Amino acid sequence: MKFLEDRSRVSIVKQIRLLWHFVLFAFPFPDTNGVVTRGCVTDACEPPSCISCEGEMCNSYLMCRQCDGSQAQCATSAVNETSYNALCTSATQVCKISLNGNGTLTRGCDNTECASGTDASCKSCKEDNCNAGIFPADRRQCYQCTGDACNTVTEAMLQPCTINERENQKCYTIGSDAKTMQRGCTTDANTKCAIDTTDGNCSLCSDANGCNKRPYSSILGPCIKCSNGDTCIPAQDKSKAENCAASVYTQTVNQCYFQLNSDGSVQRGCVNELANGTTCEEKNNCNICEGSACNIQEGIFSCLTCRSDNFAPCRQAHVGSLPCLDSSLNSNASMKCYSGEWSK
Ligand SMILES: *[C@@H]1O[C@H](CO)[C@@H](O)[C@H](O)[C@H]1NC(C)=O
Ligand SMILES: *[C@@H]1O[C@H](CO)[C@@H](O)[C@H](O)[C@H]1NC(C)=O
Ligand SMILES: *[C@@H]1O[C@H](CO)[C@@H](O)[C@H](O)[C@H]1NC(C)=O
Ligand SMILES: *[C@@H]1O[C@H](CO)[C@@H](O)[C@H](O)[C@H]1NC(C)=O
Ligand SMILES: *[C@@H]1O[C@H](CO)[C@@H](O)[C@H](O)[C@H]1NC(C)=O
């Protein structure tokens, strides 16, 4: 029994030795972190998760992500798939990423290292699959999706743009309802909204990675809403503001209004809740402000204020109004403006 055990051990050692000389392999686990395991081929070793090579110690060479500028996904996290793994062909090769002139990437094994520190468009490194990840690190990232699931975005949809541009690159959102949303980068080959689009249904943004995440319609914020003669005139308490109706993605900031009517009454509300056919215009003493509950200011009686001897348009009343210092909207007696002509 003991003899048999010894014999089988010897034959296994012999086999391993044979394999050592002819077939060695690298076995990257099929995980997206790029972990690589090495050893001798014993069982099946099938690409892309397992790559075998012939020659002593050939599996000591680096494993790198490999793709080029003709593959849009080379810039995205898709290169974490094991199908992008390549075993380098010599012990001196390093892993490399380079930014091509047209904004695409090339990744792979390379014989030369990048010039250290001077070339921002090149990165080389000496660990397995170290040339994965977003490059350059500040490459713009946008939500990229289309159709039904694209209304409410998920983290997986946030991807670096396939074409990198230093300037003039934005994220876009477009759609005609919650089921037909499309998002991406203005530089995409098949972009729905280029940087110079004039399509009013294109919403562009560049203030943050993943800024193009608004659903087709959503509530942007609250405004003070009132028209009651007594309580609507004084300055309002921000905390009493109420949410505005949902607005579509092309509106990006909450808009409130404050209107002073000619009878001294005041009206406040959300711009997107104005009755159909009604607009808020300065000539009607209506002012729009942007932000949460921004329409809290006190209602103050105002008059056109000017003199034609130092401002000619005064005669045609082509001037703006100014708040009267000693007037109150609560007293008809103090709500009076004047105009007159003296000494011609
Ligand atoms: C960008 O350039 C790379 C390398 O020069 C080339 O392989 C690729 O086809 C080009 N891609 C596009 C979209 O022009
Ligand atoms: C892909 O790999 C990079 C670099 O190892 C890592 O930072 C990133 O989180 C990975 N992404 C995914 C989606 O696994
Ligand atoms: C914008 O979208 C609306 C409806 O969502 C549609 O009626 C209109 O034609 C679109 N405008 C353009 C320029 O495509
Ligand atoms: C304006 O008209 C549209 C459609 O005609 C309607 O859905 C909406 O409720 C109206 N808005 C207001 C504030 O009356
Ligand atoms: C001011 O006068 C108008 C009509 O002359 C009246 O309807 C209104 O209630 C008065 N307002 C105040 C604050 O007295």
Side-chain angles (χ1 to χ4, degrees), residues 121-156:
S121 66
C122 183
K123 178 194 155 186
S124 54
C125 50
K126 296 175 182 168
E127 273 166 40
D128 289 315
N129 289 331
C130 57
N131 64 339
I134 296 168
F135 188 84
D138 64 354
R139 196 181 190 90
R140 182 164 297 290
Q141 296 174 59
C142 300
Y143 285 99
Q144 305 184 27
C145 56
T146 163
D148 248 356
C150 196
N151 192 45
T152 310
V153 298
T154 62
E155 268 322 287

Side-chain angles (χ1 to χ4, degrees), residues 169-185:
Q169 182 164 30
K170 294 187 174 185
C171 302
Y172 76 83
T173 306
I174 191 171
S176 48
D177 56 48
K179 288 184 168 6
T180 59
M181 298 304 281
Q182 293 189 55
R183 304 173 198 274
C185 308

Side-chain angles (χ1 to χ4, degrees), residues 230 233 263 329-333 335:
D230 291 332
I233 291 170
D263 66 355
L329 288 176
N330 289 311
S331 138
N332 269 351
M335 282 169 46

Side-chain angles (χ1 to χ4, degrees), residues 68-70 100 102 104 163:
D68 64 35
S70 66
N100 301 317
N102 60 15
T104 63
I163 308 279

